[in-house]
Amino acid sequence: MKIQGKPYHTIWISPDNDQVIQIIDQRYLPHKLVIENLATSRQVATAIRDMHLRGAPLIGAAAAYGMYLACLEAPNNFLFDDYIQKTAIILKKSRPTAVDLQWAVDQQMYIISKTETPDLKIKAALEQAHSIKQVSIDGCRKIGEHGLTIIEKIAAQKSGEPVHILTHCNAGWLACVDYGTATAPIYLAHDKGIPVHVWVDETRPRNQGARLTAFELLQHGVPHTVITDNVGGHLMQHGMVDMVLVGTDRTTRTGDVANKIGTYLKALAAKDNHIPFYVGLPSSTIDWSIRDGLTEIPIEERSADEVKYIAGLHQKEMKKVLLTPKKSPAANYAFDVTPARLVTGLITERGICKANETSILELFPEQRSN
Amino acid sequence: MKIQGKPYHTIWISPDNDQVIQIIDQRYLPHKLVIENLATSRQVATAIRDMHLRGAPLIGAAAAYGMYLACLEAPNNFLFDDYIQKTAIILKKSRPTAVDLQWAVDQQMYIISKTETPDLKIKAALEQAHSIKQVSIDGCRKIGEHGLTIIEKIAAQKSGEPVHILTHCNAGWLACVDYGTATAPIYLAHDKGIPVHVWVDETRPRNQGARLTAFELLQHGVPHTVITDNVGGHLMQHGMVDMVLVGTDRTTRTGDVANKIGTYLKALAAKDNHIPFYVGLPSSTIDWSIRDGLTEIPIEERSADEVKYIAGLHQKEMKKVLLTPKKSPAANYAFDVTPARLVTGLITERGICKANETSILELFPEQRSN
């Protein structure tokens, strides 16, 4: 998608040096666009660990490129394999809960192990990193194409008025390589000339909506308005939202959706006001082993300081300010689970299905026996 | 209620000089306790306009004391009445939408006009200001006593475990003179030794929960935890909330409740999880002239900058930081309406009723003909 009029991915090989990876350092967004060079696998691990980049698909792609850099760094002797294995462990530990990361590193380990010479290993690792990146782009684009049909149907009933879409958190291209998951249908609609307007939940406490989704949409030229997380219900009561479209971190085989904390409240409001509530997701985030999101998905508790303090721009510098009494305790649950009964549909790379096991398995018949 | 172990009201006559009013300057909360002296009626108007104090009952009491100061300031000749009238206009304009303020000033105008000499007028205005203040204290205490019965019933089923109460915004004693509205039952329960714990919604964008409710509860020693506005639904899904208790800015005769933006989302979650949702209110906030909250209560839109910027403490100084891309638009709806069907009960100074016209009129039969 575009930044300052120019198409970007979130990760790419430096045009000046094919042994250097470049990423958008997201810690400075939305106030500053910083491109970071990653010249070593250790730098990639640090970038993942310290959240210069985030989002499951992007972390996966970054780790794959990290393994390519490891092949370049490894000593050209009997210690090669040892170095690769150590790096794999370092990369996997950089975000231990990121499933895509573990998978991408394992894929690279496998191809490196079954290739003969160091030169060929380097080449194979680079090609597979490109391929992992491309799979993410293609998957997001597919989600976009399927979701676009929903937006087109709503637009057809609005005689030129914009389709108002509410989104929560950042399931945007900054979390992927391009397009995003929940945002992909929005970008495709916008690029096709369908008038859309996005209500962007700021998404406390980490404000991924206010910082990242707003930045993405602003830079790509998509009309949008930032709102606090409290506002969506009011907008829906007054006919100002045509659909809700969010991402997910993990979805059960029965269609329960774990996503950023607060998603459940928006789903309740959508249901109460007869507004469709859709979830955009790559099927890799479906956890085929679980059926009950509320009891089976553990919800991460993060630091209370993320609630008590917030960072923002003050006179061109980032400053962190205290919002609560210093001694008041705070709790910080990172995700919640939206029960399938509140979900109108899941938009996957294979198509749209209802949020129930039968409908999901029609799209993914190979999972029936799981 | 207590601050640093000492009982406070939000407004009082200076113990050193009965011609000076003292208030807690709430702009510095929760980081600093600042007591402000108001020695003139103009200073009272400024304090109201610039929100050194806020909350309908407190604004009403402050305006009443402002009129007392006006009597002290007025020239002791034929210009006395003229001065009083001009001051009344200034005070009324300091928060034009505050009904309690208009009412308190009118009450003072009436008693001043029907009293004979300037000395007697001063005395009458002071007495009536005291009385307006006392009526607020008594009303809140009554709400507290009625609401306490609900908390006691829940506590009886919890065998010593704390009663978990979720509240939104600040309907606390800082908005009143003492006790608060939604918080009154909580303070009375706590003071009686019933274990309570309050989930405090931070209440973006102005963070009245994180700033004021948390401060109140911390200072009075009531166990509490600050959460972002996104968290309540998750807590209710997991049985971590026993009741929701909020205030209201305006309630229809049919029981629709206008309150701080986001209240509706919590009411939906309470309903979805079979958790009682109560509203504490002085009956003065019931608008007997309207029946449909959603169509008849206009919702104030405030500055987008309240969403885009937030103030907090940075190295002992208040700093305002930018949270969004500078060029992203934001919308700031201040209130929403919770339909009566989601409200378990209204806790008024006369008792508890259901949120429907029949039940409300049983408590307020004098309004039947309105």
Side-chain angles (χ1 to χ4, degrees):
Chain A
M1 301 288 100
K2 287 182 187 162
I3 298 176
Q4 294 163 0
K6 191 184 141 193
Y8 271 86
H9 288 161
T10 48
I11 188 163
W12 63 93
I13 295 278
S14 166
D16 306 323
N17 180 348
D18 67 4
Q19 303 195 356
V20 172
I21 311 301
Q22 295 189 310
I23 62 164
I24 298 169
D25 188 342
Q26 301 190 19
R27 293 173 303 167
Y28 297 93
L29 296 179
H31 307 300
K32 217 162 132 185
L33 178 66
V34 174
I35 306 299
E36 184 179 17
N37 288 330
L38 303 174
T40 70
S41 57
R42 269 55 177 177
Q43 286 175 357
V44 173
T46 303
I48 294 172
R49 190 192 62 218
D50 296 347
M51 298 181 77
H52 307 193
L53 49 80
R54 15 74 61 199
L58 173 53
I59 290 172
Y65 282 109
M67 289 301 288
Y68 155 65
L69 295 180
C71 293
L72 291 170
E73 297 154 8
N76 197 349
N77 58 28
F78 69 98
L79 289 169
F80 188 97
D81 286 350
D82 188 53
Y83 186 86
I84 295 295
Q85 270 164 27
K86 279 188 182 145
T87 307
I89 291 167
I90 290 169
L91 282 167
K92 283 188 175 188
K93 279 192 181 161
S94 63
R95 279 297 284 281
T97 58
V99 179
D100 289 41
L101 183 155
Q102 316 299 321
W103 176 85
V105 171
D106 285 342
Q107 292 291 104
Q108 291 287 58
M109 289 288 282
Y110 177 74
I111 204 142
I112 292 164
S113 72
K114 69 168 203 168
T115 311
E116 289 297 325
T117 67
D119 275 1
L120 289 176
K121 287 175 193 282
I122 291 168
K123 190 161 171 283
L126 179 60
E127 273 170 15
Q128 184 162 263
H130 285 333
S131 146
I132 287 172
K133 176 179 164 178
Q134 193 59 44
V135 164
S136 167
I137 297 174
D138 294 344
C140 287
R141 175 147 188 116
K142 281 283 176 203
I143 292 169
E145 285 166 3
H146 296 303
L148 174 61
T149 63
I150 301 168
I151 297 176
E152 283 178 321
K153 271 183 210 150
I154 297 171
Q157 295 162 4
K158 295 208 74 180
S159 54
E161 286 294 301
V163 178
H164 296 284
I165 302 169
L166 186 141
T167 192
H168 192 72
C169 199
N170 178 254
W173 74 269
L174 289 169
C176 304
V177 178
D178 205 356
Y179 299 109
T181 53
T183 54
I186 296 169
Y187 286 124
L188 264 56
H190 174 78
D191 286 354
K192 208 178 163 179
I194 298 166
V196 288
H197 165 259
V198 184
W199 295 108
V200 180
D201 275 0
E202 63 174 347
T203 321
R204 284 278 292 147
R206 291 176 62 86
N207 271 31
Q208 294 93 335
R211 288 190 295 114
L212 304 176
T213 307
F215 173 84
E216 282 192 13
L217 296 171
L218 181 72
Q219 291 293 338
H220 198 74
V222 181
H224 66 285
T225 306
V226 180
I227 49 176
T228 65
D229 303 308
N230 283 321
V231 175
H234 170 75
L235 297 176
M236 293 189 218
Q237 284 179 312
H238 290 271
M240 295 158 82
V241 178
D242 295 304
M243 73 184 286
V244 180
L245 184 44
V246 300
T248 171
D249 292 82
R250 202 165 166 193
T251 292
T252 66
R253 66 186 288 132
T254 55
D256 292 342
V257 173
N259 190 40
K260 189 61 59 194
I261 190 82
T263 302
Y264 165 56
L265 293 171
K266 295 304 140 61
L268 284 169
K271 188 79 168 182
D272 199 45
N273 293 285
H274 314 291
I275 291 164
F277 181 96
Y278 283 98
V279 181
L281 69 161
S283 59
S284 59
T285 58
I286 300 176
D287 187 335
W288 300 102
S289 71
I290 57 175
R291 294 175 173 279
D292 184 344
L294 268 179
T295 59
E296 293 184 85
I297 299 179
I299 300 297
E300 178 189 356
E301 274 188 76
R302 297 178 56 88
S303 159
D305 280 355
E306 287 186 356
V307 176
K308 296 179 68 170
Y309 294 84
I310 196 166
L313 198 69
H314 177 83
Q315 295 173 352
K316 302 196 177 172
E317 273 181 52
M318 289 303 283
K319 293 249 190 288
K320 194 180 258 192
V321 299
L322 174 64
L323 302 175
T324 63
K326 190 146 180 82
K327 291 188 181 164
S328 281
N332 185 9
Y333 297 90
F335 303 97
D336 64 21
V337 173
T338 298
R341 65 185 153 87
L342 302 176
V343 178
T344 309
L346 306 176
I347 310 170
T348 78
E349 72 277 14
R350 290 208 196 157
I352 302 166
C353 63
K354 292 196 177 149
N356 63 57
E357 188 165 3
T358 311
S359 184
I360 294 171
L361 288 178
E362 277 167 22
L363 283 186
F364 300 92
E366 72 275 21
Q367 300 291 345
R368 277 184 211 280
S369 53
N370 264 1
Chain B
M1 300 288 100
K2 287 182 189 164
I3 299 177
Q4 293 161 0
K6 191 185 140 194
Y8 272 85
H9 288 162
T10 50
I11 189 164
W12 62 93
I13 294 279
S14 165
D16 306 321
N17 180 346
D18 67 6
Q19 303 197 355
V20 172
I21 311 301
Q22 294 188 311
I23 62 164
I24 298 168
D25 188 341
Q26 302 189 17
R27 294 173 303 167
Y28 298 91
L29 296 180
H31 308 298
K32 216 161 130 187
L33 178 66
V34 174
I35 306 299
E36 185 180 15
N37 287 330
L38 303 175
T40 69
S41 59
R42 267 58 177 175
Q43 285 174 357
V44 173
T46 303
I48 294 171
R49 191 192 60 219
D50 296 347
M51 298 181 76
H52 307 195
L53 49 82
R54 19 69 64 199
L58 174 53
I59 290 172
Y65 283 108
M67 290 300 290
Y68 154 65
L69 295 180
C71 292
L72 291 170
E73 296 155 9
N76 196 348
N77 58 30
F78 69 99
L79 288 171
F80 188 96
D81 286 351
D82 187 54
Y83 185 86
I84 294 295
Q85 270 165 25
K86 279 186 182 147
T87 306
I89 292 168
I90 290 168
L91 282 167
K92 283 186 174 188
K93 279 190 181 162
S94 63
R95 278 298 284 280
T97 56
V99 179
D100 289 41
L101 183 155
Q102 316 298 320
W103 176 85
V105 171
D106 284 341
Q107 292 290 103
Q108 291 288 55
M109 289 287 282
Y110 177 75
I111 204 140
I112 292 164
S113 73
K114 69 167 203 168
T115 312
E116 286 298 324
T117 67
D119 275 1
L120 289 177
K121 286 173 195 282
I122 290 168
K123 189 161 173 281
L126 179 59
E127 274 170 14
Q128 184 161 265
H130 284 333
S131 146
I132 287 171
K133 175 179 164 178
Q134 192 59 43
V135 165
S136 167
I137 297 173
D138 295 343
C140 287
R141 174 145 191 119
K142 280 282 173 202
I143 291 168
E145 287 166 2
H146 296 302
L148 173 61
T149 63
I150 301 168
I151 297 177
E152 284 178 322
K153 270 181 213 152
I154 297 171
Q157 295 161 3
K158 296 206 74 178
S159 53
E161 285 295 301
V163 178
H164 295 284
I165 302 169
L166 185 142
T167 192
H168 192 71
C169 199
N170 176 255
W173 74 271
L174 289 170
C176 303
V177 177
D178 205 356
Y179 299 109
T181 53
T183 53
I186 297 169
Y187 287 123
L188 264 57
H190 174 79
D191 287 354
K192 207 177 164 179
I194 299 166
V196 289
H197 165 259
V198 184
W199 295 108
V200 180
D201 274 0
E202 63 174 348
T203 321
R204 283 277 293 147
R206 292 176 61 87
N207 272 32
Q208 293 93 336
R211 289 190 296 114
L212 304 176
T213 306
F215 173 84
E216 281 192 12
L217 296 172
L218 181 71
Q219 290 293 339
H220 197 73
V222 181
H224 67 285
T225 307
V226 180
I227 49 175
T228 65
D229 303 309
N230 283 321
V231 175
H234 170 75
L235 297 177
M236 293 188 218
Q237 284 178 313
H238 290 271
M240 295 158 81
V241 178
D242 296 303
M243 73 184 287
V244 181
L245 183 45
V246 299
T248 171
D249 292 83
R250 204 165 163 191
T251 292
T252 66
R253 67 185 289 133
T254 55
D256 292 343
V257 173
N259 190 41
K260 189 61 58 193
I261 191 82
T263 303
Y264 165 57
L265 294 170
K266 295 303 140 62
L268 284 169
K271 188 81 170 182
D272 199 44
N273 294 285
H274 314 291
I275 291 163
F277 181 96
Y278 283 98
V279 181
L281 69 161
S283 59
S284 58
T285 59
I286 300 176
D287 186 336
W288 300 101
S289 70
I290 56 175
R291 293 176 175 279
D292 184 343
L294 267 181
T295 59
E296 293 184 85
I297 299 179
I299 301 297
E300 178 187 357
E301 273 188 75
R302 298 176 56 89
S303 160
D305 280 356
E306 287 186 357
V307 177
K308 296 179 68 170
Y309 295 84
I310 197 165
L313 198 69
H314 177 82
Q315 294 172 352
K316 301 197 177 170
E317 271 181 55
M318 288 302 284
K319 293 251 189 285
K320 195 181 258 192
V321 298
L322 174 64
L323 302 175
T324 64
K326 190 147 180 82
K327 289 186 182 166
S328 281
N332 185 8
Y333 297 90
F335 303 97
D336 64 21
V337 172
T338 298
R341 65 185 153 87
L342 302 175
V343 178
T344 309
L346 306 175
I347 310 170
T348 78
E349 73 276 16
R350 288 207 197 157
I352 301 165
C353 63
K354 291 195 179 149
N356 64 53
E357 189 166 1
T358 310
S359 185
I360 294 170
L361 288 178
E362 276 168 22
L363 283 186
F364 300 92
E366 71 277 20
Q367 300 292 345
R368 278 185 210 279
S369 53
N370 264 2

